[in-house]
Structure formats: C-alpha cells, structure tokens
C-alpha cells in the first residue's frame, strides 16, 4: 500500500470545528507519515476516492464527519506562508474519520503539495509545521450527476446497500427513501456507515429514490425518479439523473 503523507491540522484558535462550516478556521499544520490510505476510510468510498478532486483527500474530526453525513464535504485549504504556498490553496474532500484529539483534518500528500507554489512541493513535504486556514465550499463535479453504487453485500431478495458518489453542492444527505418506480409505497433506508445506506425491504422492479438534504436554513427533498433498473447488479454505479447544488446555511452568524 502506498505511503501517504498526512497533514495534521491542530487548532490554534478557540473556535472549534463545531462552528459554522462556512466560517474561516485558522489552524497549525504538522506533517507526519501514515501507511493507511485515506481512500479506504470510514466513508467507504474505496477505490473511487482517488478520483475525487485528483486525490486531494481529507480525514476529519467527528464534528466535521458528523457520523457520516459529512462524507463528501469539500473544503478550501491553504497555508499562510506566501513564499511557500499559493494564495488560492486547494480543495479537498472528506473521505475518512480522524479521531485525533488535537487535529481537525488529515490531508493526503497530493492535497498538501497542491497548496505549494510551483517548485516548492518537496519543500512543503519536508516542512515540520505551517499555519493554514480552511473553510467549507460547495463541491462541483462539472456536469456529473449524483451516482448510486450498489454494494457487493446486496441481494435482490432481502437486502440492498448503496453508497452515494459525486455529491455536489454544500449540503448533507440526512435521509433516504426508496420505492418501486410508479409506486407511492415508500420505505426508508438507514445509514450503515459513512456514505453507505441500507435496507432489508427491497422493492421488486425498477427503483426510485427520494433524498432529504440540508438546504438553506431548512431541508429539501430531491426526487430521483428512476435510478436502479429491475435487473440491477452489484458493483455497478447508476446515474441518478439528478445532482445536488444547494448550499446549507447555518444560523451561527459569527463570520457573516
């Protein structure tokens, strides 16, 4: 397994990650190595993760991970040394849980190097520490719809597990319902872990999905009218035909 260089974000201000996602957080960054890949983290994205944002991946503390609903959230991160790093920094996507008590985010080596000015990539890898700032931003998959992958543990008779890929916007999926296409007999899925949802009540035939996502200061339903065909197969990613572009607002106001 490839060795990832991880970037630990240590709080240097009194505000915690439980504050508004959209607020700008300033932190102290420390570099260390770890052999476990972020792609096979708690969100369950597996081999799909390296394709997200060119492998700019992050593990986040529980207050950002949010029991899995924070999976797929995007953040803009930059270091504050103008000689070493660009002003824009880079975007990362949450793919794992970081249980560290003194860190906020753990970044892959690709994400770390992407913050550097041209020719400074190796220097930032060797740097022991750096000041950084980050905030949540909308995810943009450039025209790609929300994907639904059927997990290998699924079977057509009594169990269905799916995970959502390429989730756009700045929202969180908080509930999922499923029904046979043309039916109004909806049943709910429960979050198994990370981005994976499951149910033992598998509709017969083609299936439609109804998602509840955070939007504005409230929640919004998104209806994917035909997602899984009647002859669905495990391991396949199906196009939902919809994408999420909403931005959730939080009533904290401290950085507005």
């Amino acid at each position: 397994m490839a060795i990832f260089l991880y970037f630990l974000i240590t709080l240097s201000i009194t505000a915690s990650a439980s504050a508004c996602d959209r607020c700008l957080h300033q932190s102290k960054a420390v570099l260390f190595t770890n052999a476990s890949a972020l792609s096979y983290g708690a969100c369950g994205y597996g081999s799909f993760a390296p394709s997200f944002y060119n492998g700019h991946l992050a593990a986040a503390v529980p207050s950002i991970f949010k029991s899995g609903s924070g999976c797929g959230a995007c953040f803009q991160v930059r270091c504050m040394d103008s000689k070493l790093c660009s002003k824009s920094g880079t975007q990362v996507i949450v793919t794992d849980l970081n249980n560290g008590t003194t860190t906020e985010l753990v970044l892959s080596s690709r994400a770390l190097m992407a913050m550097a000015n041209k020719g400074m990539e190796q220097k930032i890898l060797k740097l022991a520490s750096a000041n950084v700032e980050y905030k949540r931003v909308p995810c943009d998959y450039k025209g790609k719809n929300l994907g639904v992958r059927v997990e290998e543990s699924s079977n057509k008779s009594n169990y269905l597990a799916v995970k959502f890929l390429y989730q756009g916007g700045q929202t969180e999926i908080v509930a999922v319902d499923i029904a046979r296409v043309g039916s109004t007999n909806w049943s709910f899925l429960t979050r198994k872990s990370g981005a994976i949802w499951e149910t033992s009540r598998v509709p017969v035939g083609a299936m439609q999905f109804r998602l509840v996502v955070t939007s504005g200061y409230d929640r919004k339903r998104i209806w994917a009218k035909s997602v899984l065909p009647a002859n669905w197969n495990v391991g396949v990613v199906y196009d939902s035909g919809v994408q999420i572009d909403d931005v959730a607002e939080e009533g904290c106001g401290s950085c507005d």
Side-chain angles (χ1 to χ4, degrees), residues 241-254:
V242 299
Q243 183 52 281
I244 303 169
D245 57 8
D246 296 82
V247 174
E249 303 288 350
E250 299 156 289
C252 52
S254 60

Side-chain angles (χ1 to χ4, degrees), residues 15-255:
S16 71
S18 60
C20 282
D21 281 341
R22 67 177 183 272
C23 290
L24 191 65
H25 300 271
Q26 294 183 345
S27 306
K28 185 73 173 178
V30 180
L31 179 67
F32 83 115
T33 59
N34 193 305
S36 64
L38 284 172
S39 56
Y40 290 90
C43 289
Y45 291 126
S47 60
F48 289 93
S51 67
F52 300 153
Y53 283 83
N54 296 316
H56 297 178
L57 312 179
V61 288
S63 54
I64 296 175
F65 186 78
K66 300 177 183 178
S67 300
S69 64
C71 287
C74 294
F75 289 83
Q76 187 77 23
V77 186
R78 73 182 185 98
C79 78
M80 299 164 66
D81 185 341
S82 60
K83 294 181 180 180
L84 182 66
C85 301
S86 67
K87 292 181 179 180
S88 59
T90 190
Q91 286 190 19
V92 301
I93 179 173
V94 174
T95 60
D96 197 5
L97 172 64
N98 168 32
N99 280 313
T101 58
T102 60
T103 64
E104 295 257 337
L105 300 173
V106 179
L107 304 186
S108 65
S109 57
R110 286 188 179 184
L112 179 59
M113 291 189 292
M115 292 192 295
N117 286 321
K118 187 176 182 180
M120 304 296 283
E121 294 87 355
Q122 293 304 313
K123 185 173 181 179
I124 198 172
L125 288 180
K126 295 177 182 179
L127 192 66
S129 64
N131 293 318
V132 298
E133 58 185 17
Y134 70 93
K135 67 176 180 178
R136 189 170 179 183
V137 294
C139 298
D140 183 6
Y141 288 98
K142 302 186 185 304
K144 186 186 290 289
N145 286 330
L146 181 70
V148 180
R149 184 185 188 274
V150 180
E151 298 296 273
E152 281 77 7
S153 56
S154 302
N155 63 75
K156 288 185 171 66
S157 59
N158 59 13
Y159 183 71
L160 176 67
V162 298
K163 66 184 168 194
F164 295 99
L165 306 171
Y166 319 120
Q167 178 183 339
Q170 189 173 322
T171 66
E172 296 157 12
I173 299 175
V174 294
V176 180
D177 294 330
I178 193 171
R180 178 175 54 82
V181 172
S183 172
T184 57
N185 184 24
W186 294 91
S187 59
F188 66 89
L189 281 72
T190 57
R191 189 186 298 276
K192 180 180 180 181
S193 63
I196 302 174
W197 295 74
E198 65 181 354
T199 181
S200 59
R201 301 177 62 185
V202 184
V204 176
M207 286 175 253
Q208 57 183 327
F209 283 74
R210 189 171 59 189
L211 312 177
V212 179
V213 303
T214 53
S215 177
Y217 290 99
D218 204 346
R219 296 182 177 185
K220 174 181 177 180
R221 285 186 176 180
I222 296 177
W223 183 17
K225 297 181 180 181
S226 182
V227 181
L228 301 187
N231 60 341
W232 56 266
N233 291 301
V234 300
V236 177
V237 179
Y238 293 95
D239 188 333
S240 69
V242 299
Q243 183 52 281
I244 303 169
D245 57 8
D246 296 82
V247 174
E249 303 288 350
E250 299 156 289
C252 52
S254 60
C255 65

